Amino acid sequence: VTGEGCSLTENPSLHSPSSRVAMEFMGPTRSGGFVSQEVDVTMVGGKECLLSDTEFIAYRQYTQFNVQQDLQSYYKEIMHLFLDEQAQKIKGYIRVAAFLPKTEATQQNYNELDALAIYDYKIQMELIDENEATQM
């Protein structure tokens, strides 16, 4: 990735708030090799809350359509960030739960206990100076 075409003058709406992304990529197959795949992801709900001067939580729901598999799936994401003042870092966690569509037979509430898969991530961010940023 070079960043070419990513400046505001070259592409003024690139960084505008958006709730949908569609992308095509080369993905692995079960039989080996790669094949072109397309996904369409839309954020369908969410809420953010500043819990204190040093703590933030966000909740988002996504729907994802995998074109080649004709598969619709749903995700719930919960992100919790907090400032570790002593370490001068922002730390946090993200939990993503994946669900199949609701049907009359399943009547799922998209509760994490009913998720097909749960992914947990830890986050740690620290301030870097301009010199460190150019070395990346």
Side-chain angles (χ1 to χ4, degrees):
V1 176
T2 64
E4 187 176 330
C6 295
S7 73
L8 278 175
T9 54
E10 293 171 301
N11 195 341
S13 63
L14 179 66
H15 301 284
S16 297
S18 178
S19 61
R20 182 175 181 216
V21 63
M23 66 179 169
E24 183 177 347
F25 61 96
M26 294 300 288
T29 64
R30 290 183 180 168
S31 60
F34 291 87
V35 67
S36 177
Q37 298 183 38
E38 297 171 65
V39 294
D40 189 330
V41 180
T42 303
M43 184 172 61
V44 293
K47 191 173 190 177
E48 297 85 25
C49 181
L50 191 59
L51 300 175
S52 70
D53 289 343
T54 61
E55 201 169 5
F56 172 82
I57 193 164
Y59 162 80
R60 295 186 180 99
Q61 291 177 287
Y62 298 92
T63 177
Q64 176 178 310
F65 181 64
N66 185 306
V67 177
Q68 281 70 26
Q69 295 177 350
D70 192 28
L71 177 65
Q72 186 82 36
S73 52
Y74 298 88
Y75 298 89
K76 182 190 285 188
E77 172 193 84
I78 300 171
M79 178 174 56
H80 178 213
L81 300 174
F82 58 93
L83 177 62
D84 182 339
E85 294 183 61
Q86 210 168 25
Q88 295 187 333
K89 296 180 180 180
I90 294 174
K91 296 181 178 181
Y93 307 92
I94 294 179
R95 169 167 274 193
V96 179
F99 303 90
L100 287 175
K102 289 182 184 179
T103 65
E104 286 185 35
T106 61
Q107 290 299 309
Q108 286 183 323
N109 292 326
Y110 298 132
N111 179 325
E112 282 93 12
L113 298 174
D114 299 323
L116 294 175
I118 293 180
Y119 306 94
D120 287 317
Y121 305 93
K122 287 184 181 179
I123 299 173
Q124 182 170 295
M125 295 181 271
E126 61 185 80
L127 184 63
I128 60 173
D129 61 31
E130 189 174 331
N131 186 43
E132 288 177 290
T134 59
Q135 301 301 316
M136 298 182 130

